[in-house]
Amino acid sequence: MGGNAFVSLMMFSWIPAVLYIFRRYPARQAMIMSFIFAWLFLPVASFKIPGIPAYTKISAACYGILIATFIFDPKRISSFKFSWIDIPIAMWCTSPFISSVVNDLGAYDGFSTMQTQIVTWGVPYFLGRIYLNSFAGLRQLAIGLFIGGLVYMPFCWYESRTFSSLHMLVYGMNTGRDASQSIRYGGYRPQIFLEHGLMLGVWLMTSCIMGITLWRTGVKRILNQPMGLLMALLLITFILARSTGAYTLFLIGLAILFVAWQFRTAILLWILILGICWYLYMGATGTFPNKQVIDTLSQTFDGERVASVKFRFDNEEILGARARERGMFGWGGFGRNRVFDEYGKDISITDSLWIIVFGIQGAYGLAALTASILLPVISFCIRYPARLWLRPMVAPAAALAVCLTLYMFDSVLNAMVNPIFMLAAGGLATVSVQSKQAATAQLNGKMATTS
């Protein structure tokens, strides 16, 4: 979908706008500002341009920053050194090509889908690797995420109060969301300029965790306003998001950080990582005990919530069975991973990112995606144990590691692609593989870092 003239103007004027931002601000600050602004305010639109992946808000941000980097800071690109920690993202970005070739869909289809995967996942990761290459860079991203949440507050209040869509009001087009999903808990679930209210909930959850971490480690004021006041307003806005899943993620994240800060152990984060991997393994092999889990949930939660979970499990069961017919590399594109009845009607619903990936790109793609997100977190936790997480320099990076894991956990349940988290993954990967001397110098605050 392309949209109207104003949508086209916003999308295609973004690259020149990024060049201007890079001229005005230091490179790292410009990159963070450009990426966050594009994600928060560009329309949910897609333009088909021959020869390149669909032009979306993600690709607009990536293209603009890459071009600006080539023009204003080319040495940064040449500073990248491929490392073992980059193997999963390389596997993930190339897996569509393998799936297409194995399924006889042709090298052209494989190459085009691989291009899309590189722009959506690989480029944000690469930008994180070259720009967020220090604790100072990750701290700057954490501050940017917090400010991004603050900037969204009045828009959330407006939509909640007026029961209206700003995306429709400003851009004259909807995002394809079912209107019934906007009504939650007797009010309106805001969405602003994101694809879905669930995506907004995860965004505000991340902003809140960044704010609490910065506040806990001594930041008193942001934007010349007291942190206590800003956090109170942001938490109220987060509640207005009406996203139960995001509330749950927030509480889990707070519990992980509280235990790490108080008891100097990341045990809860390790448990969550192992739990995600266990669930994905069980789901991929078809050994997840669906019925037993539903019976257990029925004893605690209301029938509507349990029915929703059961519906999800039932769909994942039939989709998983279909995926296991091409278990290693999946079915490739063109909806071949889906399940149809004898009349050719699609009877499957793909709610979660993991089952989509497993069906299209198989166990190879699923393992590559999971490792792309979690390996930087695991490496960070090994390199910088929880006893260091209250240091002002390390704390934002640790909070980003927690939020990255929460994003992977959310991907077990939903299919919300958010490139901001891959920025964080790239940055965490860089600080995790840096030399021991560089790590020690950063921890001691003696290392000057590139802006």
Side-chain angles (χ1 to χ4, degrees), residues 124-190:
Y125 177 91
F126 174 73
L127 293 175
R129 286 280 271 120
I130 62 175
Y131 276 102
L132 309 178
N133 54 357
S134 65
F135 285 124
L138 290 167
R139 185 175 189 275
Q140 212 166 335
L141 176 62
I143 293 172
L145 293 173
F146 178 60
I147 293 175
L150 299 178
V151 169
Y152 246 24
M153 288 194 305
F155 303 105
C156 292
W157 301 340
Y158 175 84
E159 285 200 357
S160 296
R161 179 69 183 270
T162 62
F163 282 63
S164 61
S165 165
L166 277 168
H167 198 281
M168 175 63 77
L169 182 66
V170 174
Y171 292 117
M173 54 186 288
N174 62 43
T175 60
R177 177 177 67 164
D178 184 355
S180 65
Q181 296 182 17
S182 299
I183 306 301
R184 284 290 185 276
Y185 306 115
Y188 185 86
R189 173 194 277 173

Side-chain angles (χ1 to χ4, degrees), residues 332-377:
F334 304 104
R336 299 166 81 244
N337 62 306
R338 305 185 70 85
V339 179
F340 302 87
D341 63 15
E342 62 270 26
Y343 305 107
K345 180 182 177 182
D346 190 344
I347 58 172
S348 56
I349 295 178
T350 49
D351 277 327
S352 55
L353 183 60
W354 86 267
I355 196 65
I356 295 172
V357 171
F358 183 45
I360 297 175
Q361 292 162 36
Y364 178 87
L366 181 59
L369 171 63
T370 306
S372 298
I373 295 174
L374 293 183
L375 185 58
V377 176

Side-chain angles (χ1 to χ4, degrees), residues 382-393:
I382 293 172
R383 191 70 180 274
Y384 305 99
R387 56 185 169 79
L388 303 173
W389 286 14
L390 259 184
R391 294 193 182 187
M393 186 68 73

Side-chain angles (χ1 to χ4, degrees), residues 18 34 46 95 101 154 160 223 233 250 255 303 328 352 355 400:
V18 172
S34 300
S46 178
S95 62
V101 171
S160 296
L223 303 176
L233 293 173
F250 178 65
M328 182 54 69
S352 55
I355 196 65
L400 287 167

